[in-house]
């Protein structure tokens, strides 16, 4: 059984999902595939040049309070980032080129923690390097790779695939071609994988 | 302890919430207050002249599939309405003027069932009359009352209150001034009421 976890490093609700998806999937014996993509590119196609949480202030104010409550429930550290959304391009390229490297899951959680718990700028190569090192990866080699045209096009292709499969927000989960949107749907997606033996 | 349930008769995710909120609140010994309002008026202020589920097709396609899955899980009848969103103005005026009439909860569920299970036009006074009669109310008297300026202004005021309190979507729940948005947050809202003894 398999679940795809589609996320963006800048996306606020991707944070609690990224921190809990692996443990929950393991518990249900569901295989997990990490799928970083660029939510901004999807938003642009919907006519938004910024996060809807910035474009619609009432929605944004609610989201921050809701996220605070959620993290509290999950026992997750949370600091409202001083900049939102942050530029997750470099982190997404790194995660995208890394296939199923043994350090990938730890790296992803380190970047989300940097953004949403430690209020660090994840656009900074220095921050990403330290997330890589903390996860047991060789940052110099990987950061160099992330600048190659192949790394850039891989992320572009993955984002294009997201759009073509009907993805419109993050986090999202695919179980086969069944789409689940939002951190709230993590359990439903896992149940779907188990029930339908995906 | 008390929870306010804010809903719009045209709102798709308000349907499962409306059908389950009373039983769940009773189970937790939380008092329930029904608060109809006009989501369209709130959307207009956000610059939308239509439901975001129509404005953003990928989001809309997902919503219908998600709602189908949800209703299936809850054992709720569901038919995708042939018209969306329907005009819930008359139903909302009726619900709004009815305070805590003993037939109110049944009436609200009857209207949601008409819209989302029986694919009936809830803008029609005939449909609303039959929802009233089925709930044990005198439809002729109430439909006449619903046309009075006082009934119209009561709904307008309630919608204005929703906007001023930061409400931006439906269904929503208030527990004191703590806002919870979405059918997904019904359990969280009830837990909040219990935990904080609202």
């Amino acid at each position: 059984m398999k679940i795809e976890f589609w996320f963006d490093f800048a996306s606020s609700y991707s944070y609690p999902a990224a921190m809990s998806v692996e443990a929950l999937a393991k518990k249900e014996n569901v295989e997990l595939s990490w799928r970083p993509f660029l939510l901004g590119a999807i938003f642009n196609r919907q006519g938004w040049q910024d996060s809807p949480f910035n474009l619609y202030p009432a929605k944004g104010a609610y989201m921050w309070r809701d996220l605070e409550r959620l993290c509290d429930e999950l026992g997750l550290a949370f600091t409202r980032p001083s900049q939102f959304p942050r530029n997750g391009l470099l982190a997404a390229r790194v995660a995208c080129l890394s296939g199923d490297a043994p350090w990938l899951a730890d790296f992803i959680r380190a970047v989300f923690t940097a953004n949403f718990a430690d209020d660090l700028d994840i656009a900074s190569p220095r921050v990403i390097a330290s997330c890589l090192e903390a996860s047991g990866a060789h940052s110099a080699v990987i950061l160099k790779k992330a600048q190659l045209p192949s790394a850039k096009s891989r992320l572009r292709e993955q984002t294009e695939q997201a759009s073509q499969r009907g993805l419109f927000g993050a986090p999202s989960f695919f179980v086969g071609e069944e789409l689940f949107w939002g951190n709230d749907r993590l359990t439903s997606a896992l149940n779907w994988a188990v029930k339908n033996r995906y």
Side-chain angles (χ1 to χ4, degrees), chain A residues 54-133:
Chain A
N54 291 337
L55 294 172
Y56 306 108
K59 200 167 181 152
Y62 171 76
M63 179 275 285
W64 291 116
R65 175 62 183 139
D66 188 48
L67 189 61
E68 192 180 26
R69 285 190 310 233
L70 269 176
C71 291
D72 199 46
E73 245 173 61
L74 294 168
L76 267 182
F78 172 69
T79 305
R80 180 171 167 172
S82 51
Q83 187 194 347
F84 178 83
R86 284 209 164 97
N87 182 344
L89 182 65
L90 175 60
R93 280 180 184 158
V94 166
C96 203
L97 69 84
S98 302
D100 46 6
W103 48 263
L104 179 64
D106 282 337
F107 168 72
I108 290 168
R109 285 186 289 261
V111 175
F112 274 109
T113 301
N115 194 2
F116 292 102
D118 301 333
D119 192 19
L120 294 173
D121 185 6
I122 58 168
S124 147
R126 203 182 42 75
V127 169
I128 296 306
S130 89
C131 291
L132 281 166
E133 294 294 330

Side-chain angles (χ1 to χ4, degrees), chain A residues 174-194:
Chain A
F174 268 114
V175 180
E177 280 313 303
E178 197 75 21
L179 175 61
F180 297 84
W181 171 52
N183 176 58
D184 308 317
R185 286 292 183 280
L186 172 48
T187 307
S188 305
L190 285 170
N191 289 346
W192 193 269
V194 170

Side-chain angles (χ1 to χ4, degrees), chain A residues 31-42:
Chain A
E31 192 189 329
L32 171 64
S33 173
W34 301 90
R35 302 287 177 101
F37 73 108
L38 291 181
L39 185 57
I42 306 276

